[in-house]
Amino acid sequence: MTTIQHNQMLQEHMSMEFSSSTTHVQTFSQTTKIVGEEVVTRKSSSTVEFFSLVTRSTNIPEGESVPEFVEKPHPVTASEGDKAVFRAQVKGNPKPNISWKRESGIPIKESAKMFYDSVNKEHVLKLEPLTSDDSDNYKCIASNDHADAIYTVSLLVTEGQEIMDFKKMLKKRTTPAPKQQKKVTDEKEMLDILANVPKKDFEKVCMEYGFTDFRGLLKKLKGMKKVEVETIRILKPLEDIETKIDTTVTFECIMELKDPNIKMTWVKGTEPLRIQYSLGKYDVKQLGTKYMLVITNVNTNDAGTYSLSVGDKQMTAELRVLDEPLKFLGEMKPVKVTERQTAVFEIRLSKKVPDFVWKFNGKELKRDEKYEITVSEDGLTHTLKIKDARLSDSGEFSAEVGNLVQKAQLTIDRIPIKFVSTLKNVRVKEKSRACLECELTSKDVTLRWKKDGQLLEHGTKYSMSHEGKRAELIIEDAQLSDGGEYTVVAMQDGDPTEYYSTAVVTVEERLATVKSGMSDVHAATGSPAELCVVLNDEKVEGVWLKDGKEITITDLPGVQIVKQGAVHKIIFPKMGPEHEGKYTFRAKGAESEASVFIADPPTIDPSVLEALAAHPVTVKVGHTANIKVSFRAKPLPKVTWYKDGVEVTEEERVSMERKEDHALLTISNCVREDSGLVLLKLKNDHGSATATVHLNVLDRPKPPQGRVEFLELSGNCVHMKWKAPKDNGGRPVTQFIVERRVIGKKSWIKIGEVDSKVTKFSTNKVEEGKAYQFRILAVNSEGVSDPLESDEVFAGNPIEPPGLASQPQVTDVTKEAMTITWNAPTQDGGAPVLGYIVERRKKGSNLWVPVNKDPIQDTKCTVDGLLEDIEYEFRVIAVNKAGPGHPSIPSNSVVAKDPVKPPGLVQGLHVSDSSNSSISLAWREPAEGDPPSGYILEMRAEDSKEWSKCTKIPISGTCYTVGGLTERQKYFFRIRAVNEAGVGEPVELDEGVRAMPPPAAPKFDLSARLKSHMVVRAGTALCIHAAFSGSPPPNVIWQKDGIPTKGREAISKGKNHSQFLINSTKRSDSGVYRILLQNEFGEAHYDIHVRVTDFPRPPTNLQLFEEVPNTVTLTWDHSPDVQEDGEAHYVILKRDASTATWFTAAERVFSNKYTVTGLLPGRKYYFRVLARNEVGDSDPLDSKDTWLVNKDKIEDLSSKLKPYQQKDWRHAPHFLTLLKPHTVLRGQDCTMTCAFLGNPRPTVTLYKGNVNITANSKFWYNSTSGVCTVVIPTCTLKDSGEYSVLVENELGKDRSSCTLTVFDKDDKSVLASVTESLQKKSKYLM
């Protein structure tokens, strides 16, 4: 027999593109072979195996991943009746869910088993037994929150004998190796061998066994088979069968056959059954000795006689088919479903019919995306599924076949409205704004607002808004009466139910607290003053009281009461006694008190001062002295009396008294020592004043001073001298009285008087050898003083050496010489001192060295020839006629060095820094004089005239910070240098300095997260916080689009920060917000671009036209929100005019033009365009008329399309949207996108610098539909650099580059430069 080539199928080429996978397609040819009368069909096939990944999110959290196939399923090729097993092992985080589907959409048969093998950790799909209907591509879908991983493999089910191994076929074509000839004993054994081989191989087998009589063996073999054919044993014959339509019947018989290869033929009537070409109608089976004919889907045409011919035997049986009348087996019941659910109608017939139809309101239904029409496997149960049921689907559905009709009603319940966010209870202060808001699941609703059951109307009091799914009620200037229960009632068409949400608005009485209270005020008469209270709420009013009584305009003429927001003031233009008192500011919940005082510094009338200076207070000893000084001051000053610089305290004789207008000092029983300069000092908190007066207490004079010095004591003359009294008793001394007494007698004898100008006296009234004592008395107008008595002396005594000179004093010290001075000895030894001898020694030495050889007449001596830096001591010896006396006490030790000069003027005194409580000063050393050992820094306030030292001890350095100052108070400073030689002259600052930071122009603090671009959702809060610096603190002005803001915002301000807050934003709040800082030293501003997003506004002006046959091109006018928002896009939907369901035609369309393909000729379509952003979808823009795809038109255009095939649509690639620079914080993900166009489709290559990173697992990229997206997860500082995308095809190439900067949050310099760069170049701060 020859092998005939029957048919060869065309190879099928499949190619698909995926974002991160590769498709492998193996294709084979299909061949049909006819061998004898038996046809063995080998289905062909395409062995398919490919993978796809559909991502849902671009940013995958750390530790999570998309699904990944660890073990992939493999394509299976198996014969009918066998089994097929697919196995897959998957990993991913979160754990993926596994499902199996057929690519054709046909459900996997119920007998299939899908389970998880916990031992091998595999997901298994098991199909058995296999039929030809199981041939398909099978999908294993692994899904989690981040992506769907789909692995598709093919199942090929073959019919007939096993498929021959292609390698074995190749082996058969080779030259067989020579085999050793087998030997057979006799002809009978050879006949047994031939009985088991095909007839075509008889000659070949005979040659192998060495039998040459091939034809003789063939004749004998035929004779053997005839005998065997006659040996057929029928154990059970065919039996008649009676059955119903659409059932399956089996004719069976049991036979024992000697020849298993005997020919068997099934016949119906007289025609043999062609089993292989019956498309499953007939099937022949054998189980052991049982032979069966299976007839499926029996109908009336199958009735008749069936025969089985085996050899020369034949068995016959009859099939009778009973035809039942057509009827419905049950009633179709009404269906009630909720909107968007699937409604199902089902009806069963008594038998299978071809003309069954479903109708809706009398209109026949066809299977499409809206309606799913299915029939059970037995053809009796008909099912209609209405998907995504809407209100328009309500009505009567009917099942019709012939004249039989079943009807049922479909009722659609609207989806209940739910509140995504309900109204929340609100508690607000009186006179403030209350806002109630909620969000519903649907935007197609009607809203009403009620308060305590009463319907509210829109007006100045109530503002109601309804945008998309959000609803808002605003109560302006809420009063206590506005408190209560508020309800929003929502209703929808076709649903009588009222859905509501209720909340309670509580309006609290506005109670303020004192943010900054009052403090006592002291002001001079006629000067301005004010009291100020700052509350925490600017809407709270208050009243002022004075001494507990409310203030009216008539009570205090000229006084102003001012309210500036939350600041309340009472201003006194000119202070007077009538303004003194206790003032109280009282508001709801807040109270502050302070007192106002007249603050006049003490003053003394100049005429009183002149009188006190010109007329001393004079009293006699024992009398009382009263010193009274009048003054004016408020409050009463502190009174301090001083006498000769020493403060006077109250004691037994001294009393002090202070009245409102004078101070009185009383000294009783005055003594002469009370005389002196008396100083009165008056001081209060606002100033001071002084007055001086001289107190003179009259008394007799004091005794003459010192010892009586005898100039001569001889036998006939005594000459003496003395010093005038230290105190004359307040009156001039008129004369001195000299008295004498003889030793041994008590009586004193006056021996003479001398004038007060003469302090010497001589007398010759003495006797030589006698001892005398003299005394001198001073006389004034008040009496005689106590006497000054002399020592006992002898007239004519011999002369002795003089006494001790006084301790020497050292002056005018230099490194080579010193000047020594001393006083004469008190005793001259009876004879005048002739001179003095000066001696010196080094300190610590016992050797005294005379300085002069001859006595020095004077009491002063200059000693030279000294050694520098040596410490010396000096002593003096007095000499008279009797010789030298005893040495004086040594002088204090003095070092021989040049004298130290007092320091000169301090240079360069200036302010180096200042704050609200301190001032820092710096200076340089004096240029003249000796170096200083320290500095005395003094200061005084602007309102004071007295200087006070800043430190108790001199300052050692050349800078000092004075702390504890009053904010913004002006202070004056002066400084003096000091050293051993004394204190230098003071140097004063040119002008006063205020306690405040150094003047500085305003400047923004860019490290405080101040953004240049902000995107917020409508209804949420917009909060802009700006930090800055400046001295004095700058004035802050907020502007929107160049105009100062004035509306719903709340602005808080501080010295170095300001915050702008809108609690609930609206789309109209979008714009450029500018914060402007101004002070007297400059100004600065910063712009923040704010975009408030909401459900996008719909596009407009939808136009339809045909550019390419069998397609529709849509154009429309852009929605403003899509143009402004780079992430917003359009969604295109289509709807068959015969259905109510919309299907997505395209997503993420960024242009305003799109061509819809895949339309069916002869159908009418509606089209819809939506704008979509991150918030949601806009209202739809629908086409007004249907668009008909005309069959004839398409057929006519088919011939005209040929010229277009000649046009070369190829072009070199080029970029539509370039890569943009990116700046990201370390640890964040970076996503870069660009768009390109090219034909043929360009290849994409990624570069970092000049390094190809396309295959680097660190970088993930996706290139789909001309959009390339590159993701760098968890950026590090090493990822900074230049990135580029290269697209190229056979016609050319193009390249786009950008710079990525990764910065650390602590790097303020980089942050500042990044912020500045973003303000100029970038739209979004990443």
Side-chain angles (χ1 to χ4, degrees), residues 922-954:
W923 57 87
R924 300 192 306 276
E925 290 187 357
E928 300 177 354
D930 285 338
S933 59
Y935 300 90
I936 298 174
L937 180 64
E938 297 176 301
M939 73 171 184
R940 68 176 178 88
E942 184 180 23
D943 55 355
S944 175
K945 295 182 180 179
E946 292 189 0
W947 294 92
S948 60
K949 292 182 179 180
C950 298
T951 58
K952 293 182 179 180
I953 60 175

Side-chain angles (χ1 to χ4, degrees), residues 975-1036:
I975 190 169
R976 293 181 288 177
V978 62
N979 63 11
E980 297 176 7
V983 180
E985 293 297 322
V987 173
E988 188 173 344
L989 272 179
D990 296 337
E991 57 184 12
V993 183
R994 295 192 181 275
M996 57 181 286
K1003 181 181 179 182
F1004 285 95
D1005 182 5
L1006 297 180
S1007 65
R1009 305 191 307 277
L1010 185 60
K1011 299 180 179 179
S1012 61
H1013 290 81
M1014 298 180 67
V1015 180
V1016 297
R1017 180 180 176 181
T1020 60
L1022 168 63
C1023 181
I1024 305 174
H1025 185 88
F1028 48 81
S1029 61
S1031 179
N1035 182 36
V1036 181

Side-chain angles (χ1 to χ4, degrees), residues 1004-1258:
F1004 285 95
D1005 182 5
L1006 297 180
S1007 65
R1009 305 191 307 277
L1010 185 60
K1011 299 180 179 179
S1012 61
H1013 290 81
M1014 298 180 67
V1015 180
V1016 297
R1017 180 180 176 181
T1020 60
L1022 168 63
C1023 181
I1024 305 174
H1025 185 88
F1028 48 81
S1029 61
S1031 179
N1035 182 36
V1036 181
I1037 301 174
W1038 287 89
Q1039 296 178 343
K1040 177 179 179 287
D1041 298 329
I1043 302 174
T1045 59
K1046 184 177 182 182
R1048 300 176 295 110
E1049 73 278 355
I1051 299 176
S1052 60
K1053 300 177 181 178
K1055 290 183 179 180
N1056 56 4
H1057 72 275
S1058 180
Q1059 178 172 288
F1060 182 92
L1061 175 64
I1062 299 178
N1063 287 319
S1064 181
T1065 55
K1066 296 181 179 179
R1067 190 189 296 271
S1068 58
D1069 293 324
S1070 297
V1072 179
Y1073 288 79
R1074 169 172 290 188
I1075 176 172
L1076 181 62
L1077 309 177
Q1078 295 177 333
N1079 66 10
E1080 56 192 272
F1081 297 98
E1083 66 178 40
H1085 70 270
Y1086 193 89
D1087 292 341
I1088 304 100
H1089 297 261
V1090 175
R1091 182 166 58 85
V1092 180
T1093 63
D1094 202 346
F1095 292 99
R1097 286 167 282 186
T1100 57
N1101 192 23
L1102 177 60
Q1103 301 290 332
L1104 308 179
F1105 57 91
E1106 184 179 66
E1107 285 185 338
V1108 178
N1110 208 16
T1111 65
V1112 179
T1113 299
L1114 286 67
T1115 62
W1116 59 90
D1117 292 340
H1118 270 301
S1119 166
D1121 300 312
V1122 174
Q1123 291 181 311
E1124 296 173 1
D1125 186 354
E1127 294 298 323
H1129 56 273
Y1130 297 104
V1131 179
I1132 314 299
L1133 298 97
K1134 65 179 180 179
R1135 177 174 69 85
D1136 193 313
S1138 61
T1139 67
T1141 304
W1142 289 94
F1143 294 93
T1144 301
E1147 290 186 302
R1148 299 192 68 80
V1149 177
F1150 292 89
S1151 66
N1152 62 339
K1153 180 178 179 181
Y1154 187 79
T1155 299
V1156 181
T1157 60
L1159 303 177
L1160 299 178
R1163 296 286 184 92
K1164 293 181 179 180
Y1165 290 92
Y1166 286 99
F1167 295 93
R1168 169 178 288 179
V1169 181
L1170 301 172
R1172 177 176 293 173
N1173 61 11
E1174 65 269 22
V1175 179
D1177 295 344
S1178 70
D1179 292 332
L1181 171 63
D1182 293 345
S1183 59
K1184 298 179 181 179
D1185 301 319
T1186 59
W1187 180 271
L1188 174 63
V1189 182
N1190 196 320
K1191 291 183 178 179
D1192 297 334
K1193 185 177 181 181
I1194 294 173
E1195 292 172 359
D1196 293 339
L1197 289 175
S1198 61
S1199 60
K1200 299 179 181 180
L1201 292 176
K1202 293 180 180 179
Y1204 291 98
Q1205 295 177 358
Q1206 298 175 359
K1207 183 174 181 180
D1208 187 4
W1209 293 97
R1210 301 179 304 157
H1211 59 86
H1214 65 277
F1215 281 94
L1216 302 176
T1217 303
L1218 298 175
L1219 292 174
K1220 296 180 179 178
H1222 287 72
T1223 305
V1224 298
L1225 181 65
R1226 186 180 67 175
Q1228 300 293 325
D1229 295 345
C1230 177
T1231 302
M1232 309 177 187
T1233 59
C1234 61
F1236 58 86
L1237 194 63
N1239 188 17
R1241 175 176 295 173
T1243 59
V1244 178
T1245 309
L1246 306 182
Y1247 290 91
K1248 180 183 179 185
N1250 296 322
V1251 180
N1252 188 333
I1253 61 172
T1254 308
N1256 193 332
S1257 59
K1258 161 71 176 176

Side-chain angles (χ1 to χ4, degrees), residues 27 32 143 171 278 317 484 518 522 534 678 721 798 869 881 916 1009 1032 1082 1153 1171 1270 1282 1318:
T27 305
T32 303
S143 304
K171 288 180 181 178
S278 64
M518 296 187 293
H522 299 264
V534 181
V678 177
K721 71 176 183 179
D869 294 330
K881 294 180 179 180
N916 292 328
R1009 305 191 307 277
K1153 180 178 179 181
V1270 183
E1282 183 180 13
L1318 288 176

Side-chain angles (χ1 to χ4, degrees), residues 370-512:
K370 180 68 177 177
Y371 301 104
E372 181 180 331
I373 300 174
T374 59
V375 183
S376 62
E377 290 184 1
D378 59 8
L380 301 179
T381 302
H382 296 260
T383 305
L384 170 64
K385 292 183 180 180
I386 301 98
K387 300 178 183 178
D388 192 24
R390 298 300 180 99
L391 197 61
S392 59
D393 295 324
S394 299
E396 184 181 70
F397 285 82
S398 59
E400 299 183 11
V401 53
N403 296 325
L404 297 178
V405 179
Q406 280 272 10
K407 297 182 179 180
Q409 195 73 21
L410 174 60
T411 304
I412 307 296
D413 289 340
R414 294 299 300 272
I415 297 176
I417 300 173
K418 293 183 180 179
F419 287 87
V420 178
S421 62
T422 59
L423 296 180
K424 302 295 188 298
N425 292 342
V426 176
R427 185 180 296 272
V428 298
K429 298 289 186 181
E430 184 183 5
K431 293 185 179 181
S432 63
R433 185 187 200 198
C435 180
L436 292 170
E437 57 183 0
C438 63
E439 185 173 354
L440 302 95
T441 55
S442 174
K443 58 185 178 181
D444 299 323
V445 297
T446 303
L447 297 178
R448 290 177 291 135
W449 291 87
K450 294 182 179 181
K451 175 182 180 293
D452 298 329
Q454 299 297 320
L455 189 64
L456 298 179
E457 298 293 338
H458 194 288
T460 57
K461 185 67 177 178
Y462 300 105
S463 175
M464 306 162 190
S465 64
H466 180 197
E467 295 183 5
K469 297 178 182 180
R470 299 185 64 84
E472 183 180 66
L473 171 66
I474 297 176
I475 307 171
E476 301 287 354
D477 193 24
Q479 303 297 323
L480 295 177
S481 59
D482 291 327
E485 185 179 77
Y486 287 79
T487 303
V488 58
V489 181
M491 295 188 69
Q492 59 183 345
D493 296 338
D495 186 359
T497 308
E498 291 187 348
Y499 303 90
Y500 62 89
S501 178
T502 301
V504 176
V505 175
T506 304
V507 182
E508 296 179 341
E509 186 176 8
R510 188 174 286 275
L511 300 176

Side-chain angles (χ1 to χ4, degrees), residues 102-340:
R102 293 179 62 164
E103 190 176 49
S104 62
I106 301 173
I108 298 176
K109 63 183 181 181
E110 295 180 357
S111 62
K113 297 180 181 179
M114 289 175 277
F115 60 92
Y116 177 69
D117 183 353
S118 59
V119 176
N120 298 317
K121 297 183 179 179
E122 293 176 332
H123 297 270
V124 180
L125 169 62
K126 187 174 183 181
L127 303 169
E128 65 174 342
L130 292 175
T131 66
S132 59
D133 294 336
D134 293 327
S135 292
D136 203 346
N137 292 337
Y138 286 79
K139 295 182 178 180
C140 180
I141 304 173
S143 304
N144 67 6
D145 294 341
H146 303 307
D148 292 342
I150 305 170
Y151 206 91
T152 305
V153 293
S154 61
L155 170 60
L156 179 62
V157 181
T158 62
E159 296 178 356
Q161 298 176 355
E162 293 183 357
I163 299 174
M164 181 176 288
D165 192 329
F166 188 64
K167 291 183 179 180
K168 292 181 180 179
M169 295 172 64
L170 293 175
K171 288 180 181 178
K172 287 183 179 181
R173 297 174 59 184
T174 61
T175 304
K179 295 185 179 179
Q180 186 177 359
Q181 194 178 53
K182 300 178 182 178
K183 294 184 179 181
V184 180
T185 57
D186 55 16
E187 187 178 274
K188 183 179 179 181
E189 186 178 351
M190 188 67 221
L191 290 173
D192 292 337
I193 294 174
L194 292 176
N196 295 320
V197 299
K199 189 181 296 185
K200 65 176 182 175
D201 297 330
F202 281 180
E203 185 177 359
K204 177 182 177 183
V205 174
C206 289
M207 294 295 291
E208 290 179 357
Y209 285 90
F211 279 82
T212 58
D213 188 8
F214 167 69
R215 296 187 183 274
L217 287 175
L218 185 59
K219 290 179 180 180
K220 292 180 181 181
L221 184 62
K222 288 182 178 180
M224 290 177 60
K225 290 191 175 182
K226 286 181 181 179
V227 176
E228 290 176 0
V229 168
E230 293 174 354
T231 58
I232 298 174
R233 184 183 177 187
I234 299 176
L235 302 179
K236 179 183 177 183
L238 296 177
E239 296 177 353
D240 294 340
I241 297 175
E242 185 176 275
T243 186
K244 296 180 181 180
I245 293 178
D246 294 332
T247 59
T248 299
V249 298
T250 303
F251 288 102
E252 59 184 32
C253 65
I254 300 175
M255 297 182 296
E256 290 182 353
L257 304 175
K258 295 297 183 179
D259 183 7
N261 296 322
I262 193 170
K263 182 178 179 181
M264 286 185 284
T265 305
W266 288 91
V267 180
K268 180 189 176 192
T270 60
E271 294 291 331
L273 297 179
R274 305 185 70 179
I275 306 299
Q276 287 79 8
Y277 297 101
S278 64
L279 300 178
K281 179 69 175 179
Y282 304 108
D283 191 12
V284 175
K285 297 183 180 180
Q286 177 188 356
L287 294 175
T289 58
K290 182 185 288 188
Y291 297 86
M292 295 170 283
L293 172 64
V294 180
I295 306 172
T296 60
N297 297 326
V298 175
N299 54 45
T300 55
N301 296 327
D302 294 326
T305 301
Y306 289 83
S307 302
L308 172 61
S309 297
V310 182
D312 57 353
K313 293 187 179 182
Q314 184 174 358
M315 291 176 283
T316 303
E318 185 178 358
L319 176 61
R320 292 186 294 273
V321 180
L322 304 178
D323 188 8
E324 295 183 357
L326 179 63
K327 63 179 179 180
F328 288 107
L329 302 180
E331 295 184 358
M332 193 165 66
K333 297 179 180 179
V335 176
K336 184 176 183 180
V337 296
T338 305
E339 188 179 10
R340 288 187 176 274

